[in-house]
Amino acid sequence: MTQPLGALLVGSVNYDDAETTIRTAAEVLGTRLRRIPDGEVGKRFHWIMFQPDVLGEAEGIERIGDEPVPFPAGIDARPLRIGEGVDAAGIRLPALGYADAAIESYAIFTRLRGEGVVPEGTRFQVSLPTPVAVVTSFFFGDDRAAIAPVYTAALRRELDGILAAIPHDDLAIQWDVASEMGVIEAAPAFGRVMDVWWEGDPFPGLVAQLAELIDAVPVDVEVGVHLCYGDVAEKHFFEPTDAANLVRYANAVVAASGRELTWLHLPVPIERDDDAYFAPLADLAYGGELYLGLVHREDAAAGAEKRIAVAQRYVPEFGVATECGIGRAPAGTTEGILRTHAEVARPW
């Protein structure tokens, strides 16, 4: 078995601050990483769960329920609705928080690189959610179609702010794509089947929307896609039968995109070291950097190597990653997870 080439940190990392994340990742993984994120620290630790607090500040948007739904880091997880009689097109959303966090963390990243901690040539990675994720998670009924273009425009402003503040040859943007996979699988989650706000087969729309997000990133900025089946208390919202729908969606998005996708990440459940799961990878029509999320803290390098051996029967070259971010991993396990990446992958 040949060791996979390189590693990817999907996004969230269970440290308290960006400097610890960047410094530890660089020291443990070095040139196995082509890009390093800030760990999505603070209120971003649980992906999009802080967005209702942000959107709820907008005039014309209300919280559903009279009492807050407490969530870690002081987050109120109540969903949202458009106020009665409010024209969604006139709602002006506040800054979503992604650009401000990226700019602050990039300053730390460049300082550490200047100190020789971060290897030269490593890019700063910023992970962003898709509008589908936020709209389908926190809005319901007709409000989804009404708020979707408003939120999409706000997210594009965040992207534009990042692009304006960080040199393009230093930047990598990752689109986090979890809810889309739930919709494609018609997954039952949180007491309902995951769905979208448009009629008919959701697949073409999901392809077109993700392709548009990829194409929104200038060609001199790296862009990646992280496909995912969710991470709630280290559990998926749906357990895939195999990698077939991941491959189907990835192939369609790559074909629909006008620019080259720099990297693609596909998850691998911990219990899957069988040919049936990996066999669809033989049909993957993508020639860029591929990362398989086959590193799991529970079985460390030994488990990852089992999954690597099977995957290599169907795809010739790939790097390693975890299935999802590790921002919710148990305290004290983070460095061990990073070291597992280093044990099973070789440097670039």
Side-chain angles (χ1 to χ4, degrees), residues 3 8 18 68 103 107 114 129 139 144-145 149 177 199 216 231 244 250 264 309 330 332:
Q3 277 198 324
L8 173 75
I103 293 166
F139 291 89
R144 288 177 167 182
V177 185
E199 297 290 332
D231 175 29
L264 171 66

Side-chain angles (χ1 to χ4, degrees), residues 43-44 50-59 61 91-103 128-129 150-151 153-162:
K43 290 191 174 184
R44 292 174 295 136
F50 76 105
Q51 285 293 276
D53 280 336
V54 175
L55 303 181
E57 294 297 316
E59 185 175 350
I61 292 182
I91 294 175
R92 177 68 180 182
L93 297 181
L96 303 181
Y98 295 106
D100 289 343
I103 293 166
L128 298 172
V150 180
Y151 187 81
L155 188 61
R156 291 289 292 270
R157 288 194 295 272
E158 296 291 305
L159 175 62
D160 289 345
I162 294 166

Side-chain angles (χ1 to χ4, degrees), residues 74-89:
I75 293 170
D76 176 3
R78 279 181 297 168
L80 304 159
R81 66 187 170 206
I82 299 171
E84 186 174 354
V86 173
D87 179 5

Side-chain angles (χ1 to χ4, degrees), residues 229 236 239-240 267-273 277 293 296 307 323:
Y229 280 101
H236 298 144
E239 292 297 337
V268 180
I270 188 170
E271 67 275 7
R272 302 306 295 269
D273 56 12
Y277 183 82
H296 294 268
R307 291 181 281 274
E323 275 193 300

Side-chain angles (χ1 to χ4, degrees), residues 43-329:
K43 290 191 174 184
R44 292 174 295 136
F45 87 105
H46 208 297
W47 196 35
I48 58 174
M49 291 304 297
F50 76 105
Q51 285 293 276
D53 280 336
V54 175
L55 303 181
E57 294 297 316
E59 185 175 350
I61 292 182
E62 303 171 349
R63 305 305 291 268
I64 297 175
D66 295 329
E67 296 296 327
V69 176
F71 203 78
I75 293 170
D76 176 3
R78 279 181 297 168
L80 304 159
R81 66 187 170 206
I82 299 171
E84 186 174 354
V86 173
D87 179 5
I91 294 175
R92 177 68 180 182
L93 297 181
L96 303 181
Y98 295 106
D100 289 343
I103 293 166
E104 181 180 344
S105 293
Y106 178 67
I108 298 169
F109 175 88
T110 54
R111 173 170 58 79
L112 291 176
R113 190 172 55 192
E115 295 172 4
V117 175
V118 174
E120 288 294 330
T122 306
R123 292 195 182 216
F124 180 64
Q125 177 182 321
V126 178
S127 298
L128 298 172
T130 65
V132 167
V134 173
V135 171
T136 60
S137 295
F138 303 121
F139 291 89
F140 305 97
D142 292 340
D143 283 355
R144 288 177 167 182
I147 202 65
V150 180
Y151 187 81
T152 300
L155 188 61
R156 291 289 292 270
R157 288 194 295 272
E158 296 291 305
L159 175 62
D160 289 345
I162 294 166
L163 293 170
I166 298 176
H168 289 196
D169 60 359
D170 238 5
L171 181 62
I173 299 291
Q174 176 176 278
W175 294 108
D176 292 339
V177 185
S179 298
E180 287 84 345
M181 292 311 305
V183 172
I184 290 168
E185 301 279 10
F190 313 110
R192 56 187 173 86
V193 174
M194 299 179 73
D195 60 2
V196 289
W197 55 88
W198 57 90
E199 297 290 332
D201 181 0
F203 190 80
L206 295 174
V207 170
Q209 291 193 35
L210 183 52
E212 288 176 4
L213 293 174
I214 292 169
D215 290 348
V217 179
V219 294
D220 56 349
V221 174
E222 293 186 340
V223 63
V225 165
H226 155 50
L227 298 186
C228 186
Y229 280 101
D231 175 29
V232 180
E234 297 188 297
K235 299 291 184 182
H236 298 144
F237 47 63
F238 181 82
E239 292 297 337
T241 302
D242 54 34
N245 275 330
L246 294 164
V247 170
R248 175 184 174 229
Y249 188 41
N251 284 349
V253 169
V254 168
S257 302
R259 61 151 295 172
E260 180 180 330
L261 185 66
T262 314
W263 78 91
L264 171 66
H265 169 277
L266 305 178
V268 180
I270 188 170
E271 67 275 7
R272 302 306 295 269
D273 56 12
D274 57 298
D275 287 271
Y277 183 82
F278 292 98
L281 293 178
D283 297 322
L284 184 63
Y286 174 68
E289 292 178 43
L290 173 66
Y291 295 91
L292 298 183
L294 43 71
V295 170
H296 294 268
R297 72 173 175 82
E298 295 91 339
D299 60 7
E305 287 168 353
K306 287 182 181 179
R307 291 181 281 274
I308 289 166
V310 182
Q312 287 180 339
R313 299 172 190 163
Y314 301 99
V315 61
E317 186 86 275
F318 57 86
V320 303
T322 50
E323 275 193 300
C324 194
I326 55 175
R328 281 80 64 193

